[in-house]
Amino acid sequence: MNDAVRSADQQRPVEPAVLDDVPGWFWNHDRHLFDWFLARQEKAGFSGDLLEMGAYLGRSAIVIGAHLQAGETFTICDLFDSDAPDDENAAEMDMSYRKTLTRTAFESNYLSFHDRLPEIIQAPTSTLADGRVAPGGFRFIHIDASHLYEHVAGDLQVARTALAPEGVVVLDDYRSAHTPGVAAATWEAVFNHGLRPIVLTDSKFYGTWGDPEPAQLDLLARRGTLPECSITNETLADHRVIRIDGNDTGAEPFRVSRHHARLTEEAARDENARATEDALRAAERERDEAVRELAERRARAAERRRPANVAKRAVGDLLPPVVTSAIRRARRG
């Protein structure tokens, strides 16, 4: 294999068999909540476009895209492998994303689960403030781009304009120790700009500029549906807040990718090949050990058959024990 072929193989995205094969930080609580909010809107006959600001390699986008209805548009805005607009954002990308984040990898992952790509804007999320997203036309917006306060505050203003009255906005990393800018922008929007919290998880804040109570009551009605998942009712400065934590084991898994059957077969073949190779190696080791043991036995037998050793054994067998002991003492002396 030449260097060009090897380099191409190293850069080719790995095909995912299941959603968890797609790299990213999108935990099951939030995946289930994305499904729940989007399905709830669809059941109520609520239509509108979908938007994700910051997609990384597509794990959350794949889930959002599964809820795209006829006549709706799903838009992704991400820098991917483009240059950042400012030094702080460039430093953030170099630290966390630059080595792995490419548009090609995102598209490959997304198309593993869907037939066509969303609309992609490869640019800073600040470009969305120029009016390219329709006011009031979106039902669900996920903000997971920059962690810098100024950028997140700007993304929230875009979301406020773009969301329909009962639309849902989700912010990632609203409470992580390494993302204080997200926390500052999130709670500023709550206390100063009318954003109303619906539910909090360990990773994400779910809110609306409409009425959060119907969704909150529906969430509270889900208590007990997952035995190890806790849904609690909190109050924060006169805002009702639902909090979800615990273990959501038992919830419905996300559908598999189009590669799942083939990758499963390949994995089984590889496992069988490894098992066969391991068995052959074990058989070779046993054979080599048997050969060594046989050689050692033959060597010991040949040593015993040497004339001098035969004579020693004969003397030991024929002479009385007292005489044999005396001869041995004399030899030692």
Side-chain angles (χ1 to χ4, degrees):
M1 181 184 294
N2 60 40
D3 291 341
V5 173
R6 185 179 295 107
S7 176
D9 286 342
Q10 291 171 345
Q11 294 174 8
R12 186 177 296 114
V14 177
E15 295 173 332
V18 296
L19 187 66
D20 284 349
D21 291 340
V22 178
W25 304 269
F26 186 52
W27 315 124
N28 275 336
H29 272 325
D30 295 299
R31 196 268 291 172
H32 298 145
L33 273 177
F34 274 44
D35 275 331
W36 184 83
F37 273 107
L38 288 160
R40 180 177 179 274
Q41 291 175 338
E42 293 146 24
K43 186 176 179 181
F46 182 20
S47 64
D49 293 334
L50 311 172
L51 172 63
E52 181 165 67
M53 303 186 209
Y56 190 48
L57 294 177
R59 191 187 286 197
S60 56
I62 290 164
V63 175
I64 297 171
H67 292 272
L68 187 64
Q69 302 177 108
E72 295 180 339
T73 299
F74 180 23
T75 302
I76 296 289
C77 184
D78 198 298
L79 279 172
F80 294 113
D81 32 3
S82 297
D83 291 334
D86 55 64
D87 291 342
E88 283 187 306
N89 202 357
E92 182 181 26
M93 290 190 67
D94 288 343
M95 179 177 66
S96 302
Y97 312 117
R98 182 62 70 193
K99 294 180 180 178
T100 56
L101 179 56
T102 67
R103 180 168 174 171
T104 298
F106 168 84
E107 291 179 350
S108 175
N109 289 330
Y110 193 89
L111 290 174
S112 296
F113 294 85
H114 300 289
D115 293 331
R116 61 187 180 89
L117 290 169
E119 292 191 5
I120 297 177
I121 300 172
Q122 187 167 347
T125 54
S126 58
T127 62
L128 299 178
D130 64 4
R132 70 176 67 193
V133 293
F138 291 77
R139 64 182 171 106
F140 191 91
I141 296 176
H142 180 213
I143 298 176
D144 188 14
S146 172
H147 294 146
L148 303 175
Y149 163 77
E150 293 80 5
H151 295 183
V152 181
D155 292 344
L156 276 164
Q157 290 306 312
V158 169
R160 184 181 186 182
T161 300
L163 271 180
E166 301 302 326
V168 174
V169 62
V170 185
L171 288 115
D172 185 64
D173 276 333
Y174 77 100
R175 61 184 293 274
S176 298
H178 67 287
T179 58
V182 183
T186 300
W187 295 113
E188 178 185 61
V190 170
F191 294 117
N192 296 338
H193 303 302
L195 179 61
R196 303 182 70 182
I198 302 173
V199 60
L200 309 178
T201 67
D202 284 347
S203 300
K204 296 186 188 291
F205 172 106
Y206 297 72
T208 181
W209 277 276
D211 182 4
E213 187 172 32
Q216 290 176 329
L217 293 177
D218 288 347
L219 282 169
L220 289 171
R222 299 183 71 212
R223 284 173 169 168
T225 56
L226 295 174
E228 298 181 37
C229 178
S230 171
I231 301 177
T232 57
N233 189 13
E234 313 281 347
T235 301
L236 175 63
D238 296 326
H239 292 282
R240 182 210 294 269
V241 181
I242 305 301
R243 190 165 57 86
I244 295 181
D245 58 18
N247 188 336
D248 53 4
T249 300
E252 187 72 18
F254 193 74
R255 69 171 186 251
V256 299
S257 83
R258 67 177 74 254
H259 310 301
H260 183 268
R262 175 176 55 80
L263 292 172
T264 300
E265 289 180 6
E266 291 176 358
R269 285 199 301 269
D270 292 344
E271 181 61 29
N272 288 337
R274 283 192 295 271
T276 300
E277 185 176 352
D278 290 345
L280 289 173
R281 289 179 176 173
E284 288 177 358
R285 288 194 296 271
E286 290 179 3
R287 184 191 61 199
D288 293 344
E289 184 64 25
V291 169
R292 282 194 297 272
E293 289 180 358
L294 178 60
E296 290 173 358
R297 287 198 302 270
R298 287 176 174 173
R300 288 193 296 270
E303 182 68 16
R304 288 196 299 270
R305 287 194 297 271
R306 287 177 56 191
N309 290 333
V310 171
K312 289 178 182 178
R313 288 200 305 275
V315 170
D317 292 340
L318 296 173
L319 292 176
V322 175
V323 176
T324 301
S325 298
I327 291 172
R328 288 176 178 164
R329 286 197 299 273
R331 285 177 177 172
R332 288 197 295 269

